[in-house]
Amino acid sequence: MNAKHINFLKNSVGADNVYDDDAHLTAYCYDATKNRFKPDAVIFPRNEEDVSKILKYCNENKIAVVPRGAGSGFTGGSLPANGGIILAFEKHMNKILEIDMQNLVAVVQPGVINKDLQKAAEAKGLFYPPDPASQDYCTIGGNVSENAGGMRAAKYGITKDYVMALRAVLPNGEIIRAGKRTIKDVAGYNTAGILIASEGTLAVITEITLKLIAKPKMSETAMGIFDSVDEAMNAVYKTMAGGVVPVAMEFLDNLSIRAVEEKFHKGLSVDAGAILITEVDGNSKDDLSRQLDLIEAAFKENGCTNFKRAKDKQESDDIWFARRNVSQAITIYGNKKLNEDITVPRSKLPELLKKIGEVAQEHALKVPCFGHTGDGNVHTNVMVEDGNDKAQLENGQKAIEKIFKIAVDLGGTLSGEHGIGLSKAPFMHLAFSEAEMNLFRTVKKAFDPNNILNPGKMGL
Amino acid sequence: MNAKHINFLKNSVGADNVYDDDAHLTAYCYDATKNRFKPDAVIFPRNEEDVSKILKYCNENKIAVVPRGAGSGFTGGSLPANGGIILAFEKHMNKILEIDMQNLVAVVQPGVINKDLQKAAEAKGLFYPPDPASQDYCTIGGNVSENAGGMRAAKYGITKDYVMALRAVLPNGEIIRAGKRTIKDVAGYNTAGILIASEGTLAVITEITLKLIAKPKMSETAMGIFDSVDEAMNAVYKTMAGGVVPVAMEFLDNLSIRAVEEKFHKGLSVDAGAILITEVDGNSKDDLSRQLDLIEAAFKENGCTNFKRAKDKQESDDIWFARRNVSQAITIYGNKKLNEDITVPRSKLPELLKKIGEVAQEHALKVPCFGHTGDGNVHTNVMVEDGNDKAQLENGQKAIEKIFKIAVDLGGTLSGEHGIGLSKAPFMHLAFSEAEMNLFRTVKKAFDPNNILNPGKMGL
């Protein structure tokens, strides 16, 4: 990009919305991967028309454009790996446009923070379930682009299950609508379906219409302690196959428990093989008790040695403490965490965890695992003691590759939540055939023939 | 197609799976639109490899291929409008391959009948909710290709909400997999998302992995009678905005009620402006009563003059009788039914029905309406007294076009369930901009550059 480009863009969308000073370029060069790529400019579009003008110009001038929410992604999806423009929605396009009580729908701009939408819905007795761990700062635009999940997915599904309609701008500047504010809509191709999870590589999403549901009146938390991971994993899938669908079914293995205890001294049993934390919700005490009874029975049939129901908010918070703080706690095992979010069919969890244990042993690494076992999603953390030691890092990366292969071989996926971005691009061949990769490339080319939208991502 | 083609195909997939005799061509030339288009051949593939061989050959020889389920579609989606080959799955590729109790998943071939899957799931205490009216004979392959809905959509969603993974063959013969047997999977483009509802124009689906859920233990039926359609439509959306989500919220207007009564003499009140039939489900009597109490209150606040809860199976069947037989009954108004399945956001139902009434009056036509108001989906039947009278038919078609425009202007869609196919292709311009149509054409070309798959459909 040169001064001519910057001037044109300033004239188009306002001088105070286009920046190429070092402070801005530095502020928008990172994400949660801690990798750094400086963009050539940062633009804050005011509205959809601005996005259209910017894309049209960039398409004609072959300038890369990277849409960015909060930069909270774990795979580099919002990093300008090939330079170009960062399109940031946090300044202007960050409004909840409507909470439609009559049709149970929210209409938002991409820069709206997930938690703000949750709160706005709850203020009206409604519920927006997707709750990625970064919910306090991640944006809905990013959530849609990555198809974000969260803890409630086993019961309530993920972002794609709530997207009813989108507005988006194609690389050539054309504005399209996809979907309707209706449950049923089968006219035309399901364009929204392929824009979701496309990591900003096909179009720039400018407005999102989301389904809301009635807020369940109450919830309860419980915890089960198991001697072994194997028993806990059996308990997970057998509980859910038994017909009860908890909101959350979270898991910590022994290394994770030990880390939390060492760091926070909460009185956790450091000899436990695994903990399962579960939450049920509903509209009556009876319903909640019925669900917890079924869970307790399934847990105990599968080796649970201690089942504790939280009596009040404080006890519930205490139970959740370990899960909420585990990600930070496990840094005691090393200064470099290679954290992945592989997912397998629930019934494969016991085998997955067994095999991860074997890889850890083989590579003499600590690999604490925790996560959303209710939907088969395990956050697998290969801890490298000294990330600055090249040999150690390589050893960790080799272990990761083996773990990916194990997940795929068990019918699972490279990523349940984080996407592919840059970090997982080298592993796409493990999961997709050449025909499948070619199809992805064909789709990419159909939407974005000049490859200006978030180039270099997803291994395409 | 010529004898060389037929011979090649017979050699490829077996002589007893390829037919071009008149009996077969006639048997596969129709669908529920009653339009007729003769194919050049009918092929019964034995497996995915057969589909691959057939497509590769047809792609190289530019022969049209039309995948067909049961031919129960209402818009000509499975009609060979440009000749070519009918690919029929009912003979070999009609197996339920697996009901996976551990992960709550079914794996089926495209030719499986919807009801057979529902029954197989229920035999194991599980539930496959999508229930199109043609469930007794329509196939899952067709359901996925059209993204079929049904009566339970307001609570349980539609086909796309249950598709976890697909296997499919591209026009060039390449086999692809899309999705996983996991709730979360964000690796690569969501190819399954765009194959759903693509009406067989992008790829041929050869295997479908579907989510199953636990079967609710019980259900109850109730009926509300209203003086006017307007009051009933208000009752629908206010009930659901109030936080109760019935399984079904079905509607009959006065013309529909009169038709059922005239034909079947069931003692329905022919002066009623509208009837709403509702069904709730759950796991306890208390929960069902709570839901019905909320519905009764919302109905009565909105002009319901009579609310009746079914006391037993017989009363429930009696209540459902009118709804189940209305489609047949309204033929008393004419021998040609132009039935459409427009859908609007629920809060727009009162306005929609008012405006349809105005169009009916303007064109001196009877337009009985009924359907799935719980999700805003209204089956709108423009009845032409004598469909052989060209002037009358044209008058009906003009009314239909106005009704489509009304639905789209209210934020609704041309089709909630039936798809576009041939019948609605002329109306695509009412709903989609030139940019949107161009994008559809680009997507079609990306998947199917030689336009061999179900050509001429969806207005592309």
Side-chain angles (χ1 to χ4, degrees):
Chain A
M1 288 187 71
N2 54 37
K4 190 195 77 180
H5 296 317
I6 298 289
N7 282 335
F8 178 90
L9 291 162
K10 282 189 173 176
N11 281 332
S12 290
V13 304
D16 51 348
N17 292 316
V18 179
Y19 293 90
D20 62 350
D21 59 299
D22 218 53
H24 273 89
L25 304 189
T26 304
Y28 288 87
C29 77
Y30 70 92
D31 77 346
T33 60
K34 297 183 182 162
N35 289 320
R36 300 276 181 273
F37 292 93
K38 267 202 190 174
D40 296 309
V42 178
I43 304 188
F44 303 98
R46 295 163 300 186
N47 48 44
E48 190 175 72
E49 287 67 44
D50 278 358
V51 174
S52 171
K53 281 187 230 165
I54 295 163
L55 287 186
K56 189 167 185 297
Y57 183 79
C58 290
N59 196 43
E60 282 160 6
N61 291 278
K62 307 243 166 69
I63 297 167
V65 176
V66 181
R68 179 188 170 96
S72 56
F74 276 118
T75 56
S78 63
L79 293 179
N82 298 285
I85 289 167
I86 286 282
L87 219 51
F89 298 99
E90 71 223 45
K91 199 164 155 187
H92 304 295
M93 294 178 71
N94 58 358
K95 314 275 185 310
I96 296 176
L97 300 174
E98 190 183 351
I99 303 269
D100 171 354
M101 297 289 291
Q102 299 186 326
N103 298 296
L104 308 186
V105 158
V107 183
V108 306
Q109 292 182 315
V112 166
I113 289 170
N114 176 296
K115 193 75 183 191
D116 291 344
L117 172 60
Q118 288 190 47
K119 281 186 195 158
E122 282 178 32
K124 304 210 170 189
L126 298 176
F127 185 30
Y128 178 68
D131 60 339
S134 53
Q135 57 189 315
D136 289 339
Y137 41 93
C138 68
T139 65
I140 300 292
N143 290 177
V144 173
S145 298
E146 302 287 332
N147 195 9
M151 294 204 194
R152 300 171 184 146
K155 179 162 186 174
Y156 290 109
I158 56 179
T159 304
K160 83 170 158 64
D161 300 311
Y162 292 86
V163 175
M164 300 181 81
L166 297 173
R167 292 180 66 97
V169 183
L170 298 175
N172 64 8
E174 287 182 340
I175 294 164
I176 58 155
R177 303 151 306 156
K180 296 280 178 194
R181 195 181 295 203
T182 56
I183 292 169
K184 293 172 175 167
D185 173 26
V186 296
Y189 289 133
N190 178 20
T191 315
I194 198 138
L195 292 185
I196 296 165
S198 67
E199 304 195 7
T201 63
L202 301 181
V204 174
I205 294 165
T206 50
E207 190 184 287
I208 303 138
T209 300
L210 295 160
K211 182 171 79 169
L212 302 175
I213 60 176
K215 174 87 183 153
K217 290 193 173 49
M218 53 192 86
S219 65
E220 267 185 58
T221 303
M223 180 174 78
I225 297 174
F226 295 80
D227 285 339
S228 73
V229 169
D230 194 53
E231 287 167 313
M233 293 301 98
N234 274 297
V236 167
Y237 88 79
K238 286 185 178 164
T239 298
M240 306 192 67
V244 53
V245 186
V247 183
M249 180 67 93
E250 295 290 313
F251 151 75
L252 281 85
D253 71 357
N254 176 268
L255 282 174
S256 303
I257 298 166
R258 279 177 186 270
V260 174
E261 191 50 29
E262 188 171 326
K263 195 124 183 175
F264 300 104
H265 313 292
K266 285 282 173 178
L268 296 173
S269 157
V270 294
D271 296 324
I275 292 176
L276 290 178
I277 298 170
T278 188
E279 191 168 298
V280 296
D281 69 2
N283 292 315
S284 71
K285 283 266 170 208
D286 280 1
D287 181 28
L288 265 52
S289 295
R290 186 189 65 83
Q291 294 183 57
L292 284 178
D293 289 350
L294 287 168
I295 294 173
E296 181 168 357
F299 275 25
K300 289 193 169 160
E301 273 166 33
N302 289 285
C304 173
T305 55
N306 188 346
F307 188 83
K308 183 184 161 80
R309 299 183 192 209
K311 281 196 223 64
D312 51 34
K313 175 84 171 61
Q314 183 58 48
E315 284 195 15
S316 167
D317 287 349
D318 287 348
I319 287 177
W320 275 107
F321 182 89
R323 174 63 186 90
R324 294 204 199 285
N325 292 280
V326 63
S327 189
Q328 185 197 342
I330 56 172
T331 54
I332 65 166
Y333 297 123
N335 64 17
K336 178 75 183 174
K337 174 165 73 173
L338 305 171
N339 71 322
E340 302 301 342
D341 64 323
I342 49 171
T343 304
V344 294
R346 279 189 297 262
S347 68
K348 302 294 183 186
L349 283 167
E351 203 173 338
L352 175 72
L353 271 293
K354 211 171 291 171
K355 289 191 166 167
I356 290 174
E358 289 164 13
V359 172
Q361 204 158 21
E362 216 175 296
H363 287 259
L365 284 162
K366 290 210 163 61
V367 185
C369 294
F370 56 88
H372 321 307
T373 41
D375 48 53
N377 183 199
V378 176
H379 291 285
T380 311
N381 304 275
V382 172
M383 303 305 301
V384 180
E385 249 190 84
D386 181 2
N388 300 314
D389 180 319
K390 213 178 145 202
Q392 281 192 35
L393 194 60
E394 263 174 29
N395 183 44
Q397 279 156 345
K398 273 184 199 151
I400 284 285
E401 177 148 6
K402 281 187 192 163
I403 291 168
F404 281 144
K405 182 132 182 20
I406 291 164
V408 170
D409 287 347
L410 290 172
T413 169
L414 297 178
S415 177
E417 303 188 317
H418 299 167
I420 298 300
L422 297 169
S423 331
K424 299 198 183 188
F427 306 108
M428 286 291 272
H429 71 279
L430 295 175
F432 297 101
S433 70
E434 201 44 37
E436 288 153 1
M437 288 304 295
N438 279 338
L439 179 62
F440 293 161
R441 288 185 201 106
T442 307
V443 168
K444 167 71 173 167
K445 199 155 190 178
F447 277 79
D448 182 18
N450 290 337
N451 194 26
I452 63 157
L453 271 180
N454 213 358
K457 302 298 167 65
M458 297 176 76
L460 302 179
Chain B
M1 288 187 74
N2 54 37
K4 190 195 77 179
H5 296 317
I6 298 289
N7 282 335
F8 179 90
L9 291 162
K10 282 188 174 176
N11 281 331
S12 291
V13 305
D16 51 349
N17 293 314
V18 180
Y19 294 88
D20 61 351
D21 59 300
D22 217 53
H24 274 88
L25 304 190
T26 303
Y28 288 86
C29 77
Y30 71 93
D31 76 347
T33 60
K34 298 183 183 164
N35 289 319
R36 301 276 180 275
F37 292 93
K38 268 203 188 172
D40 296 308
V42 178
I43 304 188
F44 302 98
R46 294 164 300 187
N47 49 43
E48 190 175 72
E49 288 66 45
D50 278 359
V51 175
S52 172
K53 281 188 232 165
I54 295 163
L55 287 186
K56 190 167 185 295
Y57 183 79
C58 290
N59 196 42
E60 282 161 5
N61 292 278
K62 307 245 167 69
I63 297 166
V65 177
V66 180
R68 178 187 170 98
S72 55
F74 275 119
T75 56
S78 63
L79 294 180
N82 298 285
I85 290 167
I86 286 283
L87 218 53
F89 299 100
E90 72 222 46
K91 199 162 155 187
H92 304 296
M93 294 179 72
N94 58 358
K95 314 273 184 315
I96 296 176
L97 300 174
E98 190 183 352
I99 303 269
D100 171 355
M101 296 290 291
Q102 300 185 328
N103 298 297
L104 308 186
V105 159
V107 184
V108 306
Q109 291 181 316
V112 166
I113 289 170
N114 176 297
K115 194 75 182 189
D116 290 344
L117 172 61
Q118 288 190 48
K119 281 186 195 156
E122 282 177 31
K124 304 210 169 188
L126 299 177
F127 186 31
Y128 178 67
D131 60 339
S134 52
Q135 58 190 312
D136 289 340
Y137 41 93
C138 68
T139 65
I140 300 292
N143 291 177
V144 173
S145 297
E146 302 287 331
N147 194 8
M151 293 207 195
R152 301 171 183 146
K155 179 160 186 175
Y156 290 108
I158 57 179
T159 304
K160 83 170 158 66
D161 300 311
Y162 292 85
V163 175
M164 301 181 82
L166 299 173
R167 292 181 67 97
V169 182
L170 298 176
N172 64 8
E174 286 181 341
I175 294 164
I176 58 155
R177 304 150 307 157
K180 295 280 178 196
R181 195 180 296 203
T182 57
I183 292 170
K184 293 172 175 169
D185 172 26
V186 296
Y189 290 132
N190 179 19
T191 315
I194 199 140
L195 292 185
I196 296 166
S198 68
E199 305 195 7
T201 64
L202 301 181
V204 175
I205 295 166
T206 49
E207 188 183 289
I208 303 140
T209 301
L210 295 160
K211 182 171 81 171
L212 302 175
I213 61 178
K215 174 89 183 150
K217 291 193 174 49
M218 54 191 87
S219 65
E220 267 185 57
T221 302
M223 180 175 77
I225 297 175
F226 295 79
D227 285 340
S228 73
V229 169
D230 194 53
E231 287 167 312
M233 293 301 100
N234 274 298
V236 167
Y237 88 80
K238 287 183 177 165
T239 298
M240 306 192 67
V244 52
V245 186
V247 183
M249 179 67 93
E250 294 290 314
F251 151 74
L252 281 84
D253 70 358
N254 175 269
L255 282 173
S256 303
I257 298 166
R258 279 177 186 270
V260 174
E261 191 50 30
E262 187 171 327
K263 195 123 184 175
F264 300 104
H265 313 291
K266 285 283 173 176
L268 295 173
S269 157
V270 294
D271 296 324
I275 292 175
L276 290 178
I277 298 170
T278 188
E279 191 168 299
V280 296
D281 69 1
N283 292 315
S284 72
K285 282 267 170 207
D286 280 0
D287 181 27
L288 265 53
S289 296
R290 186 189 65 84
Q291 293 183 58
L292 284 178
D293 289 349
L294 287 168
I295 293 173
E296 181 168 359
F299 275 24
K300 290 195 169 158
E301 273 166 33
N302 289 284
C304 173
T305 54
N306 188 345
F307 188 84
K308 183 183 160 81
R309 300 184 191 207
K311 281 194 224 65
D312 52 34
K313 176 83 170 62
Q314 183 58 48
E315 284 196 14
S316 168
D317 286 348
D318 287 347
I319 287 177
W320 274 108
F321 182 88
R323 174 64 186 89
R324 293 203 200 284
N325 292 282
V326 63
S327 190
Q328 185 197 341
I330 56 171
T331 54
I332 64 165
Y333 298 124
N335 64 17
K336 177 75 182 173
K337 174 165 72 173
L338 306 172
N339 71 324
E340 303 301 341
D341 64 322
I342 48 171
T343 304
V344 295
R346 279 190 297 262
S347 68
K348 302 294 184 188
L349 283 167
E351 204 174 336
L352 175 72
L353 271 294
K354 211 171 290 170
K355 290 190 166 168
I356 290 175
E358 288 164 14
V359 172
Q361 203 157 21
E362 218 175 295
H363 287 261
L365 283 162
K366 290 211 164 59
V367 185
C369 293
F370 57 87
H372 320 308
T373 40
D375 48 52
N377 184 197
V378 177
H379 291 286
T380 311
N381 304 276
V382 171
M383 302 306 300
V384 180
E385 251 191 83
D386 180 3
N388 300 315
D389 179 318
K390 213 180 146 201
Q392 281 191 35
L393 193 60
E394 263 175 28
N395 182 42
Q397 278 156 345
K398 275 184 197 150
I400 284 285
E401 177 148 6
K402 281 187 191 163
I403 290 167
F404 281 144
K405 182 132 183 17
I406 290 164
V408 171
D409 288 348
L410 290 172
T413 170
L414 297 178
S415 177
E417 303 187 318
H418 299 167
I420 299 301
L422 297 168
S423 331
K424 298 198 183 188
F427 306 108
M428 286 289 273
H429 70 279
L430 294 175
F432 297 102
S433 69
E434 200 44 39
E436 288 153 1
M437 289 303 296
N438 279 338
L439 180 61
F440 293 162
R441 288 185 201 108
T442 307
V443 168
K444 167 71 173 168
K445 197 154 193 181
F447 278 80
D448 182 18
N450 291 337
N451 194 25
I452 64 156
L453 270 181
N454 212 358
K457 303 296 168 68
M458 297 176 76
L460 303 180

